[in-house]
Amino acid sequence: ADIEGWETHMLRGGINTIAACRPALFLEINQQSLVRAGSTPAEIWTLLEPLGYRALMAPDFEAVTEFSGAADYLFVAG
């Protein structure tokens, strides 16, 4: 999802489906865009970690435990 800062809102709206189906989520995360939409990168981790998701940061898909700069992140359920 590349929805210009509205990623957290999308996750909140779909949280029950995400919890039930556990899809991989590929999100562009940009702090400035999230702030404009009333959110923060940390909120994404707060929503997904309790569901067992871990984050991998593109382009090398290294595991990260928190926001590590504007980039694409792949969240996978573990």
Side-chain angles (χ1 to χ4, degrees):
D2 178 1
I3 50 179
E4 304 304 319
W6 293 90
E7 290 80 5
T8 306
H9 299 282
M10 177 201 68
L11 294 172
R12 280 195 201 107
I15 200 73
N16 291 333
T17 301
I18 293 167
C21 298
R22 300 169 58 83
L25 302 165
F26 196 60
L27 306 174
E28 179 189 50
I29 302 177
N30 179 300
Q31 185 167 357
Q32 291 176 333
S33 295
L34 287 167
V35 168
R36 277 195 313 266
S39 184
T40 66
E43 288 181 65
I44 293 172
W45 271 259
T46 299
L47 287 167
L48 295 176
E49 282 181 343
L51 300 178
Y53 277 84
R54 62 187 178 96
L56 306 167
M57 185 176 168
D60 298 325
F61 295 101
E62 296 178 31
V64 294
T65 58
E66 61 187 8
F67 180 68
S68 299
D72 293 323
Y73 291 80
L74 176 63
F75 290 86
V76 292

